[in-house]
Amino acid sequence: MTDRSRLDGQAAFVTGGGGGIGRAIALRLAEAGVDVAIFDIFPERAEEAAARVRERGRRAMAIAGDVMDSDALRSGIDRGAAEFGRLDILVNNAGGVSARPFLEQSERSMRKHVDINLMSMLVATQAAAKHMVAGGKGGAIVNVASIEASRAAPGFAVYAACKAGMLSFTKSMAVELSPHAIRVNCIAPDHTITPGNQGNRAGPVDPATWKARSGEEVDAMNRLIPLGREGIDMECGDVAVFLASAMSSYVTGILLPVDGGTWASSGWVRGQNGKWTLNEGLSFGH
Ligand SMILES: NC(=O)c1ccc[n+]([C@@H]2O[C@H](COP(=O)([O-])OP(=O)(O)OC[C@H]3O[C@@H](n4cnc5c(N)ncnc54)[C@H](O)[C@@H]3O)[C@@H](O)[C@H]2O)c1
């Protein structure tokens, strides 16, 4: 039987591919047979991830650049497509957030959230889809949104609005690009162990510097997440390969949670006594 998860000979462009979820997606794509262009603001991160792609037997290109620099992003996509002679897969992954009560948030900060999370996706999608259309073989776009695309996020309101915009754009593009057999989908991670999530947002990725969670934090986190643990970046990588491959050939315009069940639970947590509750201390008659 043919392995329909294989993507041999295809080429991908991954934003923020030098660390965390983007890097995991790049490596899983390489394992599925894809040549990968890695675009990252930190050159050393892009180079490291490119080396890991090559170890997996695929061609790789490390491109240093900021997704908020539209010219650099467009030219990076053009360079990737020229290097590999095709472009089949775009992963819009680079994003960013800083916590702040909305009433204290500066306009500069709001614009930066929109630029990094939303505008970068618009620019990259337009540039990459032109290559896919010209190639005539269809394509797949995977947008890395968040559970915050569909849930309130006090203190992260602009980030959440951008991720919700990402979902809306995903649906419109799924329809608009369907005549070209380009499928467009989103994944929605929740708590996932990555450099950014652990505060390692600059310089080399160094897990040795990450602060270990206390026992109480681990317990609270694990009671929040139905599957009882934080996510691993490669779990997003696996789902991205599924969405890029023929395994999902009839799937477009969706948001696929990769969250251990937190979206499904929508506020239900394991109480200290191990029973499910919406609010510790309240009884629901069972
Ligand atoms: N980790 C989580 O818990 C989580 C949860 C929900 C959604 N997400 C989303 O997943 C995506 C990746 O998050 P992560 O946790 O892997 O982040 P991360 O910070 O661990 O990694 C992001 C990568 O992108 C690069 N990058 C950052 N800013 C860039 C820019 N302006 N231009 C180019 N590259 C840039 C970084 O150098 C890094 O290599 C983001 O869009 C984030 O919103 C993450």
Side-chain angles (χ1 to χ4, degrees), residues 129-146:
K130 285 181 179 172
H131 286 287
M132 293 175 188
V133 170
K137 297 191 189 77
I141 299 176
V142 179
N143 295 323
V144 181
S146 167

Side-chain angles (χ1 to χ4, degrees), residues 138-211:
I141 299 176
V142 179
N143 295 323
V144 181
S146 167
I147 192 169
E148 322 294 6
S150 37
R151 155 179 106 178
F156 306 91
V158 182
Y159 172 78
C162 290
K163 294 295 189 183
M166 198 173 220
L167 171 58
S168 168
F169 183 69
T170 295
K171 291 179 187 171
S172 297
M173 281 305 105
V175 177
E176 201 167 320
L177 297 177
S178 62
H180 304 288
I182 299 170
R183 295 181 300 104
V184 190
N185 292 293
C186 269
I187 66 169
D190 195 2
H191 299 281
T192 307
I193 302 164
T194 63
N197 183 279
Q198 302 291 319
N200 184 183
R201 294 200 179 85
V205 172
D206 182 7
T209 64
W210 301 354
K211 188 174 149 282

Side-chain angles (χ1 to χ4, degrees), residues 31 93 133 138 159 182 195 224 231 244 272:
E31 288 161 13
N93 162 76
V133 170
Y159 172 78
I182 299 170
L224 174 73
Q272 304 273 7

